[in-house]
Amino acid sequence: MTKKAPLVMIPGPTPVAEPVRQAMAVQTYGHNYSGFVEIYRECLNGLKTIFQADHMVVIGGSGTLAMEMTLINTVKAGQDLLVVSHGAFGDRFAAIAKVLGINADVLSCPPGSRVPLAEIEKALASKRYAALTLTHVDTSTGVLAQAKEVGELAKKYDVLYILDGVCASAGVPEPMKEYGIDVIVTTCQKAFGTPPGLTMIAFNEKAAARRDELGTVPGYYTDWKNWMPIMENPSLYISTPPVNHIVALNEAVKLILAEGLAARYARHERIGRSFRAGLAALGLETVTEKEALAPTLSVVKYPPNVDDAAFRAKVEENGVFIAGALGPLKGKAFRVGHMGIIGMDEIAITLTAIERALAALGVKVTPGAAVGAAWQEWDSVRPAQGCACCCG
Ligand code: PMP
């Protein structure tokens, strides 16, 4: 008998809803078949609605490719980029900038905290930057950035604002027009709940004009100008799109829009709070400071004398797969994703596995306390109006 795979509770990839899974398994369409062209178009239009985007590019790739492609299309070698970093994924922008010959100034802070807005403003006032990058949720530290407030600063200093939405998009609001975001780089395997494999970029006319100003850019597949006509008319071709993936993403987008954006964001907030109420009942604390806690994942400190590998192996024995921490937090914390289709069933199973793993490693816990606390928090919140997912 094959071993049953554990419940996936890492911060991406996340579990996939049944209609999305079935869409992934359709017999492959020709990429220029009229039925597929319609699906591609529907998917792009749905994404434009979610992000308030003027343009949407969705191609085969990953979140990192979206980051690289965006810098290639918006900043020239030799220009200055301001990177606001709350961890490993913020720093990744600086690493990409380096290989592209872009000068990156990095503002960072201790793991779990946020770079103060005053510091960002000071940097913007001191130099004329070609662009600014911010990671909406840094998956290494669990920090939710101040995307709206940074948008106000970007507007004040007239700097192109690039937001990494990989661990936030479809779980945390990202209204481009309201927040003044020029580009959102993202992918499909986190709150979108689609198997990994897509590069997704939402951008506005200002970012499209910036691309035009650059003239030739150092990329072909990564030149979004090559893709823009295809995104307007998906029957055109420069490189074969990942057909099944786009069919699957379209199903995910339809589920998101059917749930309703406000209800979906409220559900993520409520799930995050409920999970953390459960953790607190086990005496566990997050690495992330209170004001910066992300709705999409939790990064949790180990209690004294709990070994990372032993703990995660015990959690897995109890049927749940969670992640270790990255960079300076490696071995000191673990990470749990709670986004996409994750609901209270999965939260309860995960808290039980964590509780049992701690007990097996000699930590004193009260059996059932975590799940009880999580449900108490869940029940204390009035659901947002029209939440089709969980409230009927
Ligand atoms: N940015 C953030 C915030 C991420 O969490 C990740 C992936 N964990 C990435 C970028 C890179 O995405 P990918 O692994 O799809 O390249």
Side-chain angles (χ1 to χ4, degrees):
M1 197 177 89
T2 50
K3 208 173 134 204
K4 189 174 158 202
L7 171 67
V8 182
M9 291 296 288
I10 59 175
T14 62
V16 172
E18 196 53 31
V20 178
R21 218 146 65 96
Q22 286 181 12
M24 199 74 194
V26 294
Q27 178 57 271
T28 299
Y29 302 123
H31 62 278
N32 49 5
Y33 159 62
S34 59
F36 173 66
V37 168
E38 265 324 296
I39 290 171
Y40 209 158
R41 219 191 288 274
E42 184 181 36
C43 180
L44 294 165
N45 285 338
L47 291 167
K48 280 186 190 167
T49 303
I50 290 172
F51 293 119
Q52 302 180 341
D54 295 331
H55 301 278
M56 205 58 232
V57 168
V58 176
I59 58 174
S62 67
T64 305
L65 181 62
M67 297 166 80
E68 183 162 336
M69 190 161 166
T70 293
L71 290 190
I72 284 174
N73 284 276
T74 56
V75 188
K76 243 191 184 347
Q79 287 186 328
D80 293 308
L81 174 73
L82 183 63
V83 173
V84 180
S85 178
H86 296 133
F89 293 100
D91 291 349
R92 186 167 290 192
F93 271 118
I96 296 169
K98 194 168 174 206
V99 297
L100 294 173
I102 296 164
N103 310 316
D105 290 344
V106 183
L107 299 178
S108 43
C109 54
S113 61
R114 279 171 171 160
V115 174
L117 290 171
E119 218 177 288
I120 302 172
E121 175 147 23
K122 199 168 147 211
L124 289 173
S126 73
K127 205 190 258 189
R128 180 97 189 103
Y129 286 99
L132 166 154
T133 67
L134 180 72
T135 311
H136 201 173
V137 171
D138 200 303
T139 322
S140 67
T141 53
V143 169
L144 172 72
Q146 289 166 291
K148 188 174 181 209
E149 292 80 353
V150 171
E152 283 157 16
L153 292 177
K155 194 167 171 204
K156 181 169 171 192
Y157 291 90
D158 190 26
V159 61
L160 194 91
Y161 176 18
I162 300 167
L163 186 71
D164 172 348
V166 170
C167 195
S169 303
V172 184
E174 292 180 330
M176 296 184 70
K177 291 197 196 305
E178 267 170 73
Y179 286 12
I181 304 162
D182 297 305
V183 187
I184 295 177
V185 303
T186 194
T187 185
C188 58
Q189 73 268 21
K190 298 193 191 252
F192 275 103
T194 305
L198 292 172
T199 284
M200 298 159 60
I201 308 176
F203 56 100
N204 64 8
E205 297 300 355
K206 182 174 165 187
R210 170 66 66 83
R211 165 64 195 90
D212 285 340
E213 283 164 28
L214 297 186
T216 308
V217 298
Y220 178 79
Y221 187 82
T222 48
D223 182 353
W224 76 33
K225 229 177 148 173
N226 283 336
W227 288 100
M228 285 169 71
I230 294 154
M231 299 299 128
E232 291 304 315
N233 175 7
S235 69
L236 302 175
Y237 165 86
I238 72 152
S239 172
T240 311
V243 170
N244 290 53
H245 246 114
I246 287 161
V247 179
L249 178 64
N250 189 42
E251 287 307 312
V253 168
K254 284 197 279 186
L255 290 175
I256 290 164
L257 293 174
E259 182 175 354
L261 293 180
R264 186 174 180 88
Y265 300 141
R267 173 171 65 83
H268 277 77
E269 184 67 39
R270 193 175 174 198
I271 281 282
R273 293 172 72 97
S274 303
F275 180 61
R276 289 189 281 253
L279 292 175
L282 294 171
L284 298 175
E285 286 175 10
T286 59
V287 163
T288 320
E289 58 189 36
K290 228 171 164 206
E291 319 70 70
L293 286 165
T296 48
L297 90 154
S298 296
V299 183
V300 190
K301 286 184 211 163
Y302 280 119
N305 307 320
V306 173
D307 177 72
D308 178 32
F311 171 77
R312 285 190 289 126
K314 285 281 171 213
V315 173
E316 191 174 333
E317 270 173 34
N318 283 280
V320 182
F321 190 63
I322 60 169
L326 304 173
L329 296 171
K330 201 172 163 59
K332 298 182 186 153
F334 63 93
R335 299 179 303 146
V336 176
H338 31 76
M339 59 189 136
I341 63 166
I342 295 302
M344 281 303 283
D345 294 2
E346 290 84 3
I347 292 296
I349 292 168
T350 305
L351 286 169
T352 301
I354 291 172
E355 181 184 289
R356 288 177 62 79
L358 289 175
L361 296 175
V363 179
K364 205 168 152 21
V365 292
T366 309
V371 173
W375 275 116
Q376 202 171 15
E377 174 62 34
W378 177 264
D379 290 337
S380 75
V381 179
R382 268 172 67 89
Q385 290 269 312
C387 172
C389 59
C390 49
C391 315

